[in-house]
Amino acid sequence: MRLGDISVAYVELMARAVEESGARPQAVLAQYQLDDVKLASPDARISIPRFMRMGHACIEAFSIPWLGLDMGRLTSPPAMGLAGLLAQSAADIRSACRALTEYELLSSFNARGRSQFLLEKGRGVAQFYSISPYNEYNLFVVDSVLSGWNRFMQLLSGRHDLLARVEFEFSAPVYRERYSDIFQCEVHFGAERNAVVLHDWALDLPVQQRCASTYSALKQLADRELERVRLGLTFRELTERAIGPLLNGQTPTLEQVAQRLNMAPWTVRRRLTDEGCSFQQVLNDTRRDLAVSYVRDTSLTLGEIAYVLGFGSATAFQRAFKRWTGEAPGRFRERSGRAYISTASSTSSS
């Protein structure tokens, strides 16, 4: 199971943010084998780890640690794909928020979870899933999502006062003063979630470019595309995707996974049996595949990976990893890292 992937539209947004800073991103794009042809492809995607590495490379090369905030400031409906265009034609802000989160899968998938829109005491909450622990490779991702949602609401409503507050899981970064330039509301760091909270009165505000007929046509198209994506997955793959977000610090049970799939536990067990596997086998294989991806493709420490995958200790994780791969995770990472650097170097010189 992969950690996830994302539309190249977000790479284009990253490149624009770099250009806005006065720098040229072409060398970094070339290093990751991305050119104008690939950026213009409607189906092209980049893996989440490569996207985070690219963001970190831009931050380091051009000294813009607030890159994610700049990406959010440049966000527009087309940059958010079909979900963004659907939201742009929605009747009101509530419907627009639902469109953005319900059709997120059309432009990105992350094994850690998915965004959601919910109501709390009358207020609307657009919540981005946790990708903790945070480091120099993934901080910009949360910045770009929440600031992008903020910009999107401004464009749709024509107003800058829809948000009551913004919440970030991580501690305030060194560029914390930049947040006041982006968000005209309270900004809370060290919160329990990543979210933008809208005033209760904001939900019924009309979308300036709303169009009922266009919304209906785009929704039909989005529903077909979403069904096409889901039909392309086996039930085992659907189960893996349900397991991924539940692995955060715990080992999920069949009952928990069944709840995420909106099914009875016995139904999940029967459908997996029909495909020749068991729940325990899928759980073990998912942990193994994610473990390999985390060790190979991220900068997380072994202790952090152990926690993310629900192991009781780093030692238990290391034993399991060696059993799975025949190699200690530290050695595996060192060897994979050399291979990655060699590939990137040959790409950039070609």
Side-chain angles (χ1 to χ4, degrees), residues 156-181:
L156 265 57
S157 66
R159 299 178 58 155
H160 291 69
D161 59 348
L162 272 61
L163 300 188
R165 68 178 182 276
V166 185
E167 302 173 5
F168 292 89
E169 279 189 322
F170 50 79
S171 301
V174 294
Y175 53 92
R176 66 176 304 164
E177 72 280 355
R178 295 265 176 174
Y179 290 83
S180 60
D181 297 333

Side-chain angles (χ1 to χ4, degrees), residues 49-327:
R50 286 177 69 83
F51 180 70
M52 291 194 295
R53 281 195 179 114
M54 182 181 296
H56 180 257
C58 288
I59 289 171
E60 289 287 290
F62 309 118
S63 300
I64 42 176
W66 51 84
L67 174 65
L69 295 178
D70 283 350
M71 289 173 61
R73 181 173 52 80
L74 296 172
T75 294
S76 64
M80 304 181 87
L82 186 53
L85 296 176
L86 178 62
Q88 186 181 27
S89 61
D92 50 43
I93 296 299
R94 178 188 285 103
S95 300
C97 289
R98 285 176 175 157
L100 284 182
T101 54
E102 289 178 8
Y103 296 96
E104 180 182 61
L105 186 60
L106 297 181
S107 62
S108 66
F109 163 70
N110 194 319
R112 299 294 297 274
R114 64 180 182 84
S115 302
Q116 59 181 319
F117 178 72
L118 47 93
L119 297 177
E120 288 183 356
K121 299 179 180 178
R123 289 181 169 182
V125 178
Q127 183 171 324
F128 184 62
Y129 44 86
S130 173
I131 57 173
S132 63
Y134 295 99
N135 54 45
E136 57 188 359
Y137 286 86
N138 62 14
L139 210 64
F140 83 94
V141 175
V142 182
D143 280 347
S144 67
V145 171
L146 298 197
S147 60
W149 285 347
N150 173 61
R151 177 57 178 161
F152 198 81
M153 300 306 162
Q154 293 174 353
L155 291 173
L156 265 57
S157 66
R159 299 178 58 155
H160 291 69
D161 59 348
L162 272 61
L163 300 188
R165 68 178 182 276
V166 185
E167 302 173 5
F168 292 89
E169 279 189 322
F170 50 79
S171 301
V174 294
Y175 53 92
R176 66 176 304 164
E177 72 280 355
R178 295 265 176 174
Y179 290 83
S180 60
D181 297 333
I182 300 294
F183 304 103
Q184 298 182 10
C185 64
E186 297 178 13
V187 179
H188 295 187
F189 295 102
E192 295 183 355
R193 62 185 178 182
N194 300 306
V196 297
V197 181
L198 291 83
H199 290 290
D200 52 2
W201 50 261
L203 299 179
D204 294 322
L205 287 177
V207 172
Q208 289 193 357
Q209 295 178 302
R210 62 192 179 280
C211 179
S213 59
T214 299
Y215 178 82
S216 296
L218 288 174
K219 190 174 187 308
Q220 290 177 9
L221 176 59
D223 285 336
R224 287 198 299 270
E225 286 298 300
L226 196 59
E227 186 65 15
R228 181 179 66 83
V229 170
R230 289 171 173 164
L231 284 175
L233 299 174
T234 64
F235 188 73
R236 178 189 177 119
E237 290 171 326
L238 289 173
T239 304
E240 290 174 346
R241 292 191 172 197
I243 288 172
L246 294 172
L247 281 171
N248 195 20
Q250 64 175 343
T251 300
T253 65
L254 172 62
E255 289 72 23
Q256 290 173 319
V257 173
Q259 185 176 28
R260 287 188 69 90
L261 291 170
N262 293 317
M263 295 179 178
W266 66 267
T267 303
V268 174
R269 186 182 290 110
R270 175 182 58 79
R271 293 193 60 176
L272 288 174
T273 300
D274 290 344
E275 292 189 3
C277 55
S278 67
F279 173 74
Q280 191 61 46
Q281 179 184 348
V282 175
L283 174 61
N284 292 339
D285 289 350
T286 301
R287 293 175 93 181
R288 179 199 63 206
D289 293 346
L290 288 176
V292 170
S293 293
Y294 277 123
V295 172
R296 182 188 60 212
D297 299 327
T298 78
S299 63
L300 296 179
T301 67
L302 299 184
E304 289 170 339
I305 296 173
Y307 175 79
V308 166
L309 294 179
F311 284 91
S313 67
T315 301
F317 166 67
Q318 292 181 66
R319 284 199 301 266
F321 192 91
K322 191 166 186 177
R323 184 173 67 252
W324 290 328
T325 67
E327 194 170 16

